Structure formats: C-alpha cells, structure tokens
Amino acid sequence: EYAVSRSYALDWDDGKVTLDETMKQWRRFDSFVASVQPLGAPDRRHVCALLEALNFEPEAVRAQLTDVHTLARLNESLDFGLSLQQLNTLYDTHARSLDKASAYITGMHHLKAAAPSFGSPPQRELEKVLATHALDHVRAQRHLASAWAIAQDREFLADAGQPNAAD
C-alpha cells in the first residue's frame, strides 16, 4: 500500500516525495478502497494489485470491480458456483468484457442443464462447443443434439453389424 501511495505521490520534477504528499495519497487510496468495497473488493491487497495491473487508473479498477460484481450476482442467481477468483479469471479470459463473460456463465448454465439429454458430455466438451459457437448457447445446444444423434446412429448401426454405414 505504501508503494502504491508513493507511486501516486511521485513528483516527477525532482523525483522526491514528501511525507505529506505520501500521506495525502495514502488517504486518497483509503477512500478509494472504501468506495469500491460495496463492489465486492475482497481486501485492500486485491485493490492494490488491481491498481498496479491497470496502470494506477482508478476508473479502470472501478469498472473492472463493477463488472466482476455484476458477474458475481449472475453467478449467484444461477447457482453456478464460481468463486470470486474464478470470476476474475473468467473476466480476464474474455478480454475484460462483461457481455462475453456473462454469455459464458449463462451459456454454460443452459448447457449443463441440457447435458443429460446429450449423454452428459464433460465440462471441457461443453466449453469447447460453447466457444465454437461464439458463446451462443442455443447454437451450442443444437450442435450437441446433432452430435448426440450422430453418436446414437453410429451405435445403432454398429449393433446392427454395419459399423461404417453412419460415416
């Protein structure tokens, strides 16, 4: 935290930072942390790391925390079960796009619910199909339904003694 405060306070003209300026920036950091607490910032260390990662741009940090907080509410409403760390990773994975990360959570929720109808494919397969269809869960479900039907046809033909007829 002290390093963050000092980085805010650096006087680029002479490279010296006074104690007063450092304390002023530390209070600024304190008020910023307090302002983002309702957005689900887990602790001061997390806020500090975000500030460093986002080039000490408070508005970028506020925007990311707001987006991740929105994802956390969606995660909770769908009972999806991701931790805050997983939500942050998901957000970063989808280029810090709330729309894409939300589409992923919603899409995976729908695919997991429909998975038993398609032979319960593993989560990796569901993720792959969802990504193939640009996070459109309706198209992904159609894809899974087609793949399941083809697999069933192959199985039926194999049982009938015609293993290559479905190919």
Side-chain angles (χ1 to χ4, degrees):
E1 292 176 18
Y2 184 73
V4 169
S5 297
R6 282 185 58 86
S7 69
Y8 274 138
L10 271 178
D11 178 350
W12 295 107
D13 293 333
D14 61 11
K16 294 181 183 175
V17 180
T18 66
L19 180 60
D20 287 342
E21 186 63 22
T22 300
M23 294 309 294
K24 176 181 160 189
Q25 295 306 329
W26 199 322
R27 285 188 291 278
R28 182 175 156 210
F29 175 69
D30 266 350
S31 78
F32 179 72
V33 169
S35 75
V36 296
Q37 285 296 319
L39 299 175
D43 58 27
R44 297 170 64 83
R45 195 173 313 129
H46 179 75
V47 174
C48 190
L50 277 175
L51 277 167
E52 288 183 58
L54 297 173
N55 297 322
F56 299 100
E57 299 280 340
E59 289 313 309
V61 171
R62 187 180 310 283
Q64 179 165 336
L65 288 170
T66 301
D67 288 352
V68 172
H69 183 67
T70 301
L71 290 175
R73 288 192 317 226
L74 176 63
N75 177 53
E76 186 177 316
S77 72
L78 296 176
D79 196 25
F80 199 63
L82 295 177
S83 69
L84 185 58
Q85 182 178 0
Q86 290 170 316
L87 289 170
N88 278 304
T89 301
L90 176 69
Y91 184 71
D92 289 341
T93 300
H94 290 285
R96 295 192 169 125
S97 167
L98 176 61
D99 292 338
K100 288 180 181 179
S102 295
Y104 171 85
I105 291 173
T106 304
M108 285 301 294
H109 172 75
H110 288 289
L111 291 181
K112 283 182 176 182
S117 303
F118 310 124
S120 297
Q123 178 157 336
R124 288 289 222 198
E125 182 65 24
L126 297 176
E127 289 173 345
K128 181 179 167 187
V129 170
L130 187 60
T132 299
H133 293 287
L135 303 174
D136 183 339
H137 69 88
V138 174
R139 288 177 39 211
Q141 280 181 305
R142 286 188 204 131
H143 175 114
L144 290 170
S146 295
W148 176 250
I150 290 169
Q152 293 299 303
D153 289 348
R154 285 187 177 148
E155 190 176 302
F156 174 75
L157 292 171
D159 287 345
Q162 301 174 1
N164 294 325
D167 295 332

